[in-house]
Amino acid sequence: MPESWLDIAPDSPFGLHNLPYGVFSEPGGPGPRAGVAVGAHVLDLGAAARAAGSPFADAVSGPSLDGLLAAGRPVWEQVRATVLRWLTDPAREEDVRPHLIGRDRVRMHMPFTVGDYVDFYSSEHHATNVGRIFRPDSAPLTPNWKHLPIGYHGRAGTVVPSGSPVVRPCGQRKGPDDPEPVFGPSRRLDIEAEVGFVVGAPSRRGARVPVGGFADHVFGVFLVNDWSARDLQAWEYVPLGPFLGKSFATSVSPWVVPLQALEAARVEPPERDPEPLEYLRDAKDEPWGLDLALEVRINGHVVSRPPFAKMYWTAAQQLAHMTVNGASVRTGDMYASGTVSGPERGQRGCLLELTWGGKEPLKLPDGSERAFLEDGDTVAISATAPGPDGTVIGFGEVTGSIRPAEE
């Protein structure tokens, strides 16, 4: 990796090896616009592109990343190569530096317009734990789990940017000993630490996206907290899937790491047994397991470090399964991995698992305990991945604080 004329800390998670995209604004400045994180700065991408007369200037000049997403893979690669050249060619410093703003001065916004939203259930460790909690006398995994990536359609309209408050949802709940359901605020409000993927190039209705076509359609990766009201979910989801227990809020991180930045993080996924059907088999020599290390904090205290490399189904397989019936994907469609959990207790990605259904509460440093979230709690999920030559790729974090229910 060439050196930059910009002073970037050697251990920066937002170095030249990363260059994630987001949407930002600054006090007294123009409205939301596309930016690239580099070191301690944000590059105003549209302004720099217009000043340079770049052919992709229109695609990166809107109030979101939508134009860039829709432009397709050749333009994605062109933009990334051009930004790298701007930041490493000393002859470009005078032109580019005026378009750099300190990251500590900016406000981050929703990076793209969400089309459809699909959430998967792709961690074998998470699915096994949940099965043991809810079905202790039965096989933990359902018969279809190792044959296809299970998912459900979420609510795109309540996907919110990091930092947005989360109001405790109300709904029906019924405990096992309650004679009738009651209405009120959720008492078992939970998190789900997940990894999200955003579609750039759309697909045609009736056509399938093969596993090997993943990088032609998916632009990048970000973090997701799929807030979950477990008591609402438990009462409503028989016989269908999640509904009100999930639809009140899903938080996403502000920076989208392009797939190109994650080459060094690609790993072989876990061995699958039985072997999936042909349309779900990994493309030869193209593994899309990703070695991401997540960290979950409640009120600043680390409660879990889930490993994404352990996920049974990859994002490439999830996209192939989403479209195998001819369903199309559109620019801005996002899908999430499902809760990321590992084999150890300290690697579980939700409170349902961490407290084993509330029976084993977590103890926080202030002496308090948590079976599920309380009003005022703040949850932050961050992640890193290996970059080239020993560098670290940072994803930033996705945060949210719980507000009391509005009854």
Side-chain angles (χ1 to χ4, degrees):
M1 182 67 65
E3 293 187 2
S4 175
W5 47 260
L6 182 65
D7 185 18
I8 303 173
D11 59 350
S12 172
F14 291 143
L16 297 179
H17 51 282
N18 189 350
L19 300 179
Y21 299 88
V23 171
F24 75 100
S25 63
E26 57 181 319
R33 55 207 191 273
V36 175
V38 53
H41 298 82
V42 176
L43 173 67
D44 186 332
L45 185 55
R50 291 192 299 273
S54 299
F56 53 78
D58 287 346
V60 299
S61 293
S64 73
L65 298 180
D66 296 0
L68 177 58
L69 298 182
R73 186 174 179 179
V75 175
W76 305 341
E77 294 175 349
Q78 180 188 24
V79 172
R80 182 173 172 81
T82 300
V83 171
L84 183 61
R85 186 167 61 252
W86 286 345
L87 293 168
T88 55
D89 182 356
R92 303 307 302 267
E93 179 178 0
E94 184 176 346
D95 297 328
V96 175
R97 189 175 283 280
H99 305 297
L100 290 166
I101 302 102
R103 269 197 298 121
D104 59 352
R105 292 176 49 201
V106 305
R107 175 190 174 195
M108 300 304 296
H109 301 269
M110 190 70 196
F112 54 87
T113 304
V114 180
D116 284 318
Y117 165 43
V118 173
D119 195 29
F120 283 95
Y121 187 50
S122 293
S123 164
E124 182 176 4
H125 300 291
H126 171 66
T128 298
N129 285 336
V130 170
R132 287 173 176 162
I133 291 169
F134 289 126
R135 300 183 299 275
D137 299 323
S138 304
L141 295 180
T142 54
N144 60 347
W145 199 91
K146 288 197 171 184
H147 292 276
L148 55 86
I150 294 173
Y152 72 91
H153 282 272
R155 186 176 179 86
T158 49
V159 177
V160 297
S162 176
S164 301
V166 176
V167 176
R168 182 177 297 274
C170 292
Q172 289 192 29
R173 60 178 190 270
K174 181 182 180 300
D177 300 324
D178 295 336
E180 298 291 339
V182 297
F183 178 86
S186 170
R187 294 176 176 174
R188 294 166 68 88
L189 185 56
D190 200 356
I191 61 172
E192 288 190 344
E194 306 192 15
V195 175
F197 302 84
V198 60
V199 172
S203 67
R204 179 176 54 84
R205 187 166 63 88
R208 303 173 180 179
V209 177
V211 170
F214 171 69
D216 291 326
H217 290 273
V218 169
F219 174 77
V221 186
F222 51 96
L223 302 178
V224 174
N225 187 344
D226 184 31
W227 306 90
S228 301
R230 299 299 186 187
D231 41 2
L232 277 58
Q233 181 184 359
W235 173 233
E236 71 181 2
Y237 85 141
V238 181
L240 297 180
F243 185 32
L244 300 184
K246 297 277 193 175
S247 62
F248 58 95
T250 301
S251 299
V252 300
S253 58
W255 295 110
V256 180
V257 176
L259 286 186
Q260 280 183 277
L262 295 173
E263 285 297 317
R266 292 174 63 174
V267 294
E268 292 286 344
E271 182 178 353
R272 280 63 166 264
D273 183 20
E275 185 177 25
L277 294 178
E278 186 174 355
Y279 80 93
L280 285 171
R281 292 174 189 168
D282 298 305
K284 187 177 181 181
D285 301 322
E286 285 287 319
W288 273 110
L290 290 171
D291 184 15
L292 277 57
L294 279 65
E295 184 174 275
V296 181
R297 300 183 302 281
I298 296 178
N299 300 335
H301 175 61
V302 176
V303 297
S304 178
R305 291 188 170 93
F308 191 71
K310 301 288 186 181
M311 298 295 279
Y312 192 89
W313 298 107
T314 69
Q317 291 170 313
Q318 291 166 346
L319 182 62
H321 188 64
M322 266 197 296
T323 60
V324 73
N325 66 345
S328 58
V329 289
R330 300 173 296 171
T331 298
D333 283 0
M334 64 168 271
Y335 60 101
S337 61
T339 304
V340 183
S341 292
E344 307 298 329
R345 177 171 183 172
Q347 297 176 329
R348 299 170 183 171
C350 66
L351 288 172
L352 178 67
E353 294 174 86
L354 284 165
T355 70
W356 210 250
K359 296 177 181 178
E360 303 170 7
L362 295 176
K363 293 184 178 180
L364 300 182
D366 63 1
S368 63
E369 294 186 343
R370 292 292 185 279
F372 293 95
L373 296 174
E374 296 184 2
D375 293 347
D377 283 346
T378 296
V379 179
I381 302 169
S382 58
T384 58
D389 304 318
T391 56
V392 174
I393 299 285
F395 287 76
E397 63 179 17
V398 54
T399 66
S401 298
I402 307 302
R403 289 187 179 175
E406 297 180 0
E407 299 184 72

